[in-house]
Amino acid sequence: MNFHSLGLHQNIVNALTEKGYTAPTPIQQKAIPAILERKDVMAAAQTGTGKTAGFVLPMLQRLHNGTKVKNNHARALILVPTRELAAQVASSIKEYALHSPCSHTVVFGGVSINPQMLALRKGVDILVATPGRLLDLHSQNAVKFQNLEILVLDEADRMLDMGFIHDIKRVMKLLPNNRQNLLFSATFSDQIKALARELVNDPVEVSVTPANSTAEKVEQRVYPVDKTKKSALLSHIIKQEDMQQVLVFSRTKHGANRLAKQLTAKGLVAAAIHGNKSQGARTTALHNFKTGKVRILVATDIAARGLDIAQLPFVINYDLPHVSEDYVHRIGRTARAGASGKAISLVCQDEFKLLKDIERLTKQVITRQIIDGFDPKEGLPESKLDDRPIKPKKPKKPKRFK
């Protein structure tokens, strides 16, 4: 199967060919025809499956012909949870719209609102936005939705986890009822299904991966280690395996800063990316990482959401996440688009419960490996897979996010 056989216009296919994309992924094969038929879609797809193209490509085709956009209006809205994901989706649209007349822009907090207001003045075909900044722009009459044709909620599960449900509902009340709705989520949790009942009408349901499964081509390892030796083991692994590009996850912002400084002091050039960093600093760190100027990017979960780094070979969990689903999202940064990758977790004794929760969620016991010279004094208990059903978690209290 090729992209043309899905019903996409030749100018879109040409843009894909020029970028080296020749065959659609499973999520694209299922979602694109349904979106072109103007049906509402609920899609369960993990990161790295090509889901962004799954909704952007048919959107470009739908908007190619139609009413010219009015001043300060948007014809399509893509809502995302984080600034990084917003920037990444906008970058993808730029690639796919190479031969398309559709205009697009992106708005998020952490930067001046004035250039965004100017960008919206003449109207835009596709607007990518985080919820808080979008509501701010609307309150200042900088963006209007009377002529909106398509709404996309991307990574909807993450938006609910981060407490954006009230902002999402406020946005939905501003939109016309007669529109196409596309909901993309890593899982169809009970909370997502509840949101879908308010959002989509008789949707086509698309799912390409089991809920909370980890990518098949990710080789996963747990390295038991004492907490006091984690930093030394991290440096040892990076040097031993000659990792030239590795994404390291820290649980806290301060931990990310500290770890980046420790690694750089050992001759391993590292940068930290987290919510306390300015948007400019985050963009620079990511650019330097992608271009090889920075060898190691130390990130927190929220900052890393939406990072799309082609052929990223290694992900290391310096700290295990408190939320098991975040482990799936973390290691989903590698082994994207059919490539292989390696995910390593440095686990000390007091993280054993977190490890058990992850193994229960992913329905597998992760292989352990002791590194010579780093044998833990406080041994890590053996895992026994817990196959009891997992109760759905309660979403966090709502908060504003810009």
Side-chain angles (χ1 to χ4, degrees), residues 154-369:
D154 191 14
E155 302 209 356
D157 54 326
R158 188 63 173 182
M159 281 200 270
L160 297 192
D161 286 345
M162 294 169 68
F164 298 157
I165 183 62
H166 283 251
D167 277 355
I168 292 171
K169 290 185 175 181
R170 285 180 62 198
V171 171
M172 287 166 56
K173 287 180 180 178
L174 303 173
L175 309 181
N177 292 327
N178 185 24
R179 64 177 191 267
Q180 183 177 25
N181 302 290
L182 312 174
L183 187 151
F184 282 73
S185 174
T187 64
F188 286 159
S189 66
D190 290 343
Q191 289 82 13
I192 289 294
K193 290 176 182 176
L195 175 63
R197 282 193 289 271
E198 300 182 41
L199 177 69
V200 294
N201 301 305
D202 189 24
V204 173
E205 290 196 20
V206 174
S207 183
V208 295
T209 51
N212 296 315
S213 66
T214 51
E216 291 181 2
K217 293 191 176 182
V218 180
E219 179 189 343
Q220 299 173 66
R221 288 285 185 275
V222 163
Y223 292 171
V225 62
D226 291 330
K227 185 183 292 186
T228 56
K229 291 188 177 181
K230 269 195 178 186
S231 178
L233 177 57
L234 177 64
S235 302
H236 172 81
I237 292 169
I238 293 171
K239 291 177 180 177
Q240 188 74 18
E241 299 208 21
D242 193 26
M243 297 178 179
Q244 295 302 312
Q245 190 181 48
V246 54
L247 178 60
V248 177
F249 281 96
S250 167
R251 191 179 299 133
T252 67
K253 301 167 187 175
H254 296 301
N257 284 337
R258 182 171 61 249
L259 196 54
K261 289 179 181 178
Q262 290 172 346
L263 290 166
T264 301
K266 294 178 182 178
L268 301 169
V269 181
I273 180 171
H274 53 69
N276 281 358
K277 296 277 187 180
S278 69
Q279 188 58 41
R282 290 157 75 169
T283 302
T284 299
L286 180 57
H287 174 76
N288 289 341
F289 182 61
K290 286 185 173 182
T291 57
K293 293 179 181 178
V294 166
R295 186 172 174 181
I296 304 152
L297 189 64
V298 187
T300 55
D301 286 302
I302 289 178
R305 191 71 171 188
L307 293 185
D308 189 2
I309 302 149
Q311 307 298 319
L312 177 66
F314 300 102
V315 168
I316 297 179
N317 293 304
Y318 185 81
D319 302 308
L320 287 184
H322 281 300
V323 179
S324 302
E325 287 85 355
D326 284 341
Y327 174 83
V328 177
H329 294 306
R330 285 181 178 191
I331 73 170
R333 301 296 105 200
T334 186
R336 295 168 74 87
S340 59
K342 191 169 185 178
I344 294 169
S345 298
L346 311 185
V347 183
C348 59
Q349 188 184 51
D350 62 7
E351 292 177 300
F352 179 62
K353 184 183 182 303
L354 299 177
L355 176 62
K356 283 202 306 180
D357 290 344
I358 288 166
E359 291 177 328
R360 181 181 178 187
L361 179 75
T362 59
K363 297 180 173 60
Q364 61 178 315
V365 174
I366 304 170
T367 303
R368 301 185 189 190
Q369 183 177 339

Side-chain angles (χ1 to χ4, degrees), residues 64 97 101 107 115 118 130 145 151 204 230 232 297 315 357 364 385 401:
H64 181 85
V107 298
L118 288 172
T130 52
F145 301 112
L151 169 67
V204 173
K230 269 195 178 186
L297 189 64
V315 168
D357 290 344
Q364 61 178 315
L385 197 59
F401 181 78

Side-chain angles (χ1 to χ4, degrees), residues 7 84 94 167 275 390:
E84 278 70 29
K94 184 178 180 180
D167 277 355
I390 299 173

